[in-house]
Amino acid sequence: MDININEIVAEMMGAIKGSVTNDWPLVRSSVDAYFNLRKQRLELLASMRISNKISEEFFNLRIQDEKSILESELHSINVMSKVMAQNAANAAIDVFQKAVLTILKTVL
């Protein structure tokens, strides 16, 4: 099964939007920039995990890296508190992990 990274990224952005609510207009450009730069990497991670070319442990370590990068990107926005940035990053990465897990269940 192929991964639709554009659909997953849209869901991830929706999770961030829901997490930051009223501040979305202020953070949207940074979130767009992050996903424009990282979308291919996320797609590669997902496809490698789905095809069992990397272990779950390695996948989870790389996802933690992605979460830290996203959180740092969100911290760069003066409006966003540390907790808000953590919550937004967690929400987005949770969407990604669930999407990959769902595909894995259908493949295995």
Side-chain angles (χ1 to χ4, degrees):
M1 176 180 242
D2 288 329
I3 186 165
N4 184 337
I5 196 64
N6 291 323
E7 184 178 307
I8 294 170
V9 165
E11 289 177 32
M12 292 171 78
M13 289 180 69
I16 292 171
K17 182 179 180 181
S19 182
V20 299
T21 57
N22 295 336
D23 292 321
W24 176 243
L26 300 171
V27 301
R28 183 178 183 158
S29 65
S30 290
V31 171
D32 283 340
Y34 167 82
F35 284 114
N36 284 333
L37 292 172
R38 306 305 290 182
K39 184 167 43 173
Q40 286 182 324
R41 177 161 167 80
L42 292 171
E43 184 174 31
L44 179 63
L45 278 171
S47 66
M48 290 181 75
R49 179 63 196 119
I50 291 165
S51 63
N52 215 21
K53 291 180 181 172
I54 58 174
S55 68
E56 182 178 355
E57 180 181 5
F58 184 82
F59 175 78
N60 288 332
L61 289 171
R62 298 300 65 85
I63 291 304
Q64 290 304 313
D65 292 342
E66 293 301 322
K67 189 187 301 187
S68 295
I69 293 165
L70 176 55
E71 193 177 319
S72 294
E73 185 72 32
L74 293 170
H75 278 301
S76 70
I77 304 164
N78 291 333
V79 174
M80 193 170 279
S81 71
K82 181 175 181 160
V83 171
M84 187 185 294
Q86 287 173 337
N87 290 342
N90 287 339
I93 296 300
D94 285 347
V95 167
F96 180 73
Q97 285 181 299
K98 286 177 185 173
V100 171
L101 240 150
T102 299
I103 293 171
L104 263 175
K105 287 180 183 174
T106 62
V107 172
L108 301 176

